[in-house]
Amino acid sequence: MNDLSLTEQLCDGLIEAARLAGRQEIMPRFRNLAPEMVDTKSGPDDLVTIADTRAEAVIGEAVRALMPDALIVGEEAVEEDPTLLTRVAEAPAAVIIDPIDGTANFAAGLAVFGVILSVVIDRVPVFGLLYDPVMDDWIAGAKGQGAWFGRPDHTRSPLSMPTARPVDQCRGFISTSIFEADAQPAIAATLPRFRRVLNLRCSCHEYRMLATGHGEFILSPGAKPWDHTAGTLIVEELGGRIEAGGPYPYDPAHPKGPILAVANRDTALALSDWNFSR
């Protein structure tokens, strides 16, 4: 393990970096985007805004001051240089940033978006942050230290394992439309088995819902590290279970999908009899 010390001071500094980006670059542009401030990447539903790029720059600058030797992997930087992602496997320390998770919501004026940040040491996630710029609060977790809800007055409340539920009472998050077309009917056929299945179009808030006991599982076809590294760490710190590309742990250096996150291990056992792709 790398000798980087994950101190409370460092965690607080990373949280403050996300808060600074929220105040300075994200919230002033929320519901205030001119058309030329929004662009597309891989397709018409894959958006990037000036707030994404500016927020990533602000967070990156703060991270460099806190962790000068860390590899910084931002979602927008990877769009420009995909080799950044491959370097996570060899980096002693990496900080992975999603400056605005839920950009489509943000661009549409819907207040369901957030900043996701994680720290990976020798390929092992050790810190995760799910920050909501609208309310200026966050859920964070550190490996072996549990997870907590943080507030702008600097108070924080520890989070505990959500209650286990029978399958027919489970509430989950599945974005059926982003699975391959030939898998969508099988995924859709599982939905009536649950109490409720939603899609927030925002991994940050879906993982926050699991961490606060308002959802039991997330199923996603992809496993991009800026979407899942922080959330999966927090779920595991709360006693949940993660499967990535089958019954395997999540590896941000070699992300595999689909990814299934279940908030409580007993609930995970109840769900294990179901093959979501069948």
Side-chain angles (χ1 to χ4, degrees), residues 24-201:
Q24 183 173 304
E25 304 295 345
I26 299 173
M27 291 311 299
R29 295 182 172 93
F30 181 48
R31 297 179 180 166
N32 193 32
L33 286 171
E36 63 270 17
M37 296 179 180
V38 183
D39 203 353
T40 60
K41 296 188 288 187
S42 63
D45 295 325
D46 187 10
L47 303 183
V48 61
T49 74
I50 188 173
D52 293 81
T53 55
R54 294 280 184 87
E56 185 167 297
V58 166
I59 297 170
E61 182 179 359
V63 168
R64 277 187 286 272
L66 292 165
M67 303 173 64
D69 297 326
L71 171 69
I72 299 175
V73 181
E75 178 182 7
E76 308 312 329
V78 171
E79 184 70 18
E80 298 296 323
D81 179 10
T83 66
L84 269 176
L85 191 53
T86 66
R87 292 165 56 191
V88 174
E90 304 299 329
V95 179
I96 302 172
I97 304 164
D98 189 342
I100 302 181
D101 180 62
T103 298
N105 291 343
F106 175 78
L110 182 63
V112 184
F113 57 88
V115 179
I116 305 179
L117 182 148
S118 57
V119 178
V120 177
I121 304 297
D122 295 329
R123 295 176 56 174
V124 177
V126 298
F127 175 76
L129 172 67
L130 305 169
Y131 173 64
D132 179 2
V134 177
M135 299 305 297
D136 189 27
D137 60 26
W138 55 92
I139 290 174
K143 189 170 182 61
Q145 300 178 38
W148 61 92
F149 183 91
R151 302 175 181 83
D153 63 0
H154 300 288
T155 60
R156 69 187 205 180
S157 303
L159 297 172
S160 57
M161 181 188 295
T163 303
R165 291 177 180 268
V167 172
D168 63 358
Q169 290 300 305
C170 282
R171 302 153 299 175
F173 300 91
I174 303 176
S175 181
T176 308
S177 64
I178 62 175
F179 281 82
E180 294 293 334
D182 59 355
Q184 291 179 20
I187 297 295
T190 69
L191 305 190
R193 299 172 178 174
F194 306 109
R195 175 180 170 188
R196 184 170 67 244
V197 178
L198 304 173
N199 169 23
L200 300 183
R201 300 193 306 171

Side-chain angles (χ1 to χ4, degrees), residues 101 112 116 129-131 139-140 147 159 162 173 200 202-220 222-236 238 241-244 250 258-263:
D101 180 62
V112 184
I116 305 179
L129 172 67
L130 305 169
Y131 173 64
I139 290 174
L159 297 172
F173 300 91
L200 300 183
C202 178
S203 295
C204 180
H205 278 282
E206 290 179 355
Y207 278 110
R208 283 173 62 113
M209 292 287 276
L210 261 63
T212 53
H214 298 293
E216 281 66 57
F217 70 89
I218 297 170
L219 179 68
S220 174
K224 294 176 180 178
W226 43 81
D227 288 333
H228 294 285
T229 306
T232 55
L233 168 66
I234 288 167
V235 167
E236 289 184 321
L238 292 175
R241 180 177 174 84
I242 306 298
E243 295 186 4
Y250 180 70
I259 186 166
L260 175 65
V262 186

